[in-house]
Amino acid sequence: MEKRFVDYAQYHALVDKVLANVQQANFHPDVVVGVARGGLMLADGLSRGLPSPMAVVMASSYREGSGTQQGQLRISSSVASLSPLQGRVLVADDLVDSGRTLAALLQHLRVAHPGITEVRSAVIWHKHSATFQPDFFAETLDHDLWIVQPFEVRDFR
């Protein structure tokens, strides 16, 4: 599979683009939830730029084939947060591939945290073929490629 390496300058410009999209939509989340691992840097940037507190959830469906093939979704049993998840929530992840993971995670959060009144999603990359449309994103990918984010280079030496 083709790989696209993104450096820190490119990455921060993409985070700023997502942040601008959220601000232009006049969405003011009560908390930004970062999906570990790939969504943590985006969540941090959004949390600082909006400003809103940040929480963290673990969710993964990419464990097969050395982490390159989608398998069964696993979601952490708790969310790391200083206060209960409630109100307006913005879930940040790195990319929407098929869309199944993020759609299932949003549904899980709504059920597990009934105080949530609105949940939206933000990603850096959105694959054109995805079945789920995130609310905010920086780029649409027209073909299948593997993004190597600047903090993932140890995985691809």
Side-chain angles (χ1 to χ4, degrees):
M1 178 182 291
E2 176 188 350
K3 291 186 179 118
R4 175 178 161 196
F5 288 83
V6 177
D7 66 28
Y8 276 108
Q10 294 166 324
Y11 186 84
H12 287 294
L14 292 165
V15 169
D16 287 342
K17 189 172 182 179
V18 176
L19 176 61
N21 290 336
V22 174
Q23 290 170 326
Q24 287 171 356
N26 205 27
F27 183 62
H28 303 285
D30 296 304
V31 63
V32 176
V33 177
V35 181
R37 294 185 300 190
L40 292 180
M41 294 280 287
L42 174 59
D44 180 71
L46 294 172
S47 174
R48 292 171 190 272
L50 289 172
S52 298
M54 183 175 150
V56 176
V57 66
M58 294 284 298
S60 177
S61 60
Y62 284 88
R63 288 175 306 283
E64 310 298 325
S66 300
T68 61
Q69 294 174 9
Q70 193 169 30
Q72 181 181 0
L73 174 63
R74 294 176 56 196
I75 300 172
S76 59
S77 59
S78 63
V79 174
S81 179
L82 294 176
S83 59
L85 286 188
Q86 57 190 12
R88 295 174 309 274
V89 174
L90 180 61
V91 176
D93 203 356
D94 53 353
L95 112 128
V96 169
D97 189 354
S98 70
R100 291 190 307 258
T101 298
L102 194 52
L105 177 59
L106 295 181
Q107 181 60 31
H108 169 80
L109 291 174
R110 285 184 191 104
V111 171
H113 302 276
I116 293 175
T117 58
E118 183 177 4
V119 63
R120 295 193 190 182
S121 58
V123 299
I124 295 192
W125 297 280
H126 168 256
K127 289 193 177 178
H128 182 70
S129 59
T131 59
F132 176 83
Q133 177 74 26
D135 296 288
F136 309 104
F137 57 93
E139 289 185 351
T140 298
L141 304 173
D142 292 330
H143 64 285
D144 201 26
L145 79 149
W146 192 265
I147 303 286
V148 180
Q149 299 175 79
F151 45 87
E152 295 177 321
V153 293
R154 288 173 193 82
D155 296 337
F156 294 93
R157 287 185 180 167

